[in-house]
Amino acid sequence: MSVQIGFIGAGKMAEALIGGLVSKNVFSKNEIIACAPSEFTRDRVESVYGIKVYEKAADVVSKADIIVLAVKPKNVPDLFEKEKVTIGKGKILISIVAGLTLTKMDYYVPDAKKVRVMPNHCCMVLEGAMGYTCDPSMRPADKKRINEILSSVGLAIEVPESQMDAVTGIAGSSPAFLYMVIDAMAEAGVLNGLSRDQAVKLAAQSMLGSAKMVLETRKHPEQLRDEVCSPGGTTIVGVKILEDLGLRSAMASAVDGTIARSREMSQE
């Protein structure tokens, strides 16, 4: 069985994708390869996922037609300019590198088809939310394959590149904000007698269930909120407090701030 996809870099996000591809039967273990400079990382990834992991990126590029670029932004120039890694015509490069635009990718790999992806932290439990954008050379069959690959770790939505910074704010950065909400809810639970473990589990499951209600019922979040609020009941008191304290404004400002920073990074 031939190699189908190769990963340049074997960090946490690459591992998440590898795990998702295998568990969702998108590719078999024999069809996936990766590379990592660290012998410890190579041995661990080979042991956990059962794939072949090389030391050099050139080995991955020579064997796979779909390449996932999963390195730190600072390592991109060295990869293509010092190591002279070449990804030629007919190959597809999927980049999950923050701030690496299609224009920047075109500078390094002018002949390959290119996809820019903004994944999020939740990909590690196969519940990610990500946006991606393809260059104009991508055919419908290629796009279908890309979506299948990315959807192995969650929700994947194709957007114009001009909207990728918004995706960064709404999906890429937002798990950090939502973790803060879970922690704050749990603190209140502990204050009122629950154990921390109980409080965290109840808060996290409530957030998970709420998200599932939005996605599966397709009702507007405000409608769902109103369904929880009984006249004169407990929930409406909490909703009023959150409105008075500016939760809506704070969350919108946090997301808007991350979008602004993402735009700055794209220009650097």
Side-chain angles (χ1 to χ4, degrees):
M1 195 171 288
S2 62
V3 171
Q4 297 293 316
I5 188 167
F7 289 77
I8 299 178
K12 291 182 178 179
M13 198 59 68
E15 283 194 56
L17 273 167
I18 293 167
L21 292 171
V22 174
S23 67
K24 297 292 180 65
N25 297 313
V26 178
F27 297 116
S28 70
K29 295 177 181 179
N30 292 332
E31 294 177 303
I32 305 171
I33 58 174
C35 69
S38 163
E39 183 178 2
F40 174 81
T41 300
R42 294 197 298 273
D43 291 343
R44 184 180 57 78
V45 172
E46 285 190 349
S47 175
V48 172
Y49 300 100
I51 68 170
K52 177 64 178 176
V53 184
Y54 297 89
E55 181 180 0
K56 300 293 185 181
D59 292 322
V60 169
V61 172
S62 66
K63 293 175 173 62
D65 290 328
I66 301 174
I67 312 297
V68 179
L69 185 61
V71 299
K72 296 183 185 302
K74 66 179 182 179
N75 294 333
V76 172
D78 283 351
L79 180 70
F80 293 104
E81 295 174 352
K82 289 187 177 180
E83 294 184 37
K84 304 296 183 182
V85 171
T86 302
I87 302 175
K89 191 173 182 180
K91 293 184 182 286
I92 295 175
L93 177 64
I94 302 173
S95 168
I96 60 173
V97 179
L100 189 62
T101 64
L102 290 177
T103 299
K104 291 178 181 178
M105 292 168 66
D106 195 52
Y107 172 78
Y108 294 116
V109 287
D111 298 323
K113 299 174 184 178
K114 293 168 280 292
V115 186
R116 178 186 174 187
V117 184
M118 169 47 67
N120 76 3
H121 194 231
C122 307
C123 289
M124 296 180 190
V125 291
L126 309 188
E127 291 291 353
M130 70 196 81
Y132 67 98
T133 188
C134 303
D135 75 24
S137 69
M138 201 71 65
R139 300 172 302 177
D142 296 325
K143 288 189 175 186
K144 183 178 179 182
R145 194 59 163 159
I146 295 304
N147 189 270
E148 184 181 20
I149 290 168
L150 299 179
S151 295
S152 70
V153 291
L155 175 70
I157 296 177
E158 184 180 5
V159 299
E161 188 168 27
S162 61
Q163 295 175 5
M164 286 294 286
D165 295 310
V167 170
T168 298
I170 294 172
S173 299
S174 65
F177 312 151
L178 300 177
Y179 297 147
M180 293 172 69
V181 173
I182 291 172
D183 188 49
M185 291 169 62
E187 284 289 330
V190 174
L191 181 65
N192 285 276
L194 291 172
S195 71
R196 181 162 298 279
D197 181 65
Q198 290 172 329
V200 168
K201 285 180 178 178
L202 287 168
Q205 180 62 37
S206 296
M207 183 171 285
L208 178 63
S210 299
K212 197 168 184 179
M213 285 290 290
V214 171
L215 292 172
E216 294 193 2
T217 68
R218 298 191 178 183
K219 293 179 180 179
H220 193 282
E222 284 193 359
Q223 181 182 349
L224 291 169
R225 180 201 64 192
D226 289 345
E227 290 178 5
V228 183
C229 294
S230 301
T234 59
T235 307
I236 192 63
V237 172
V239 167
K240 183 180 185 304
I241 291 171
L242 290 174
E243 292 286 6
D244 289 346
L245 292 176
L247 173 69
R248 185 185 297 267
S249 176
M251 190 64 75
S253 294
V255 172
D256 192 51
T258 63
I259 293 171
R261 176 56 184 148
S262 179
R263 287 176 177 147
E264 290 175 358
M265 290 176 65
S266 296
Q267 299 301 317
E268 291 174 356

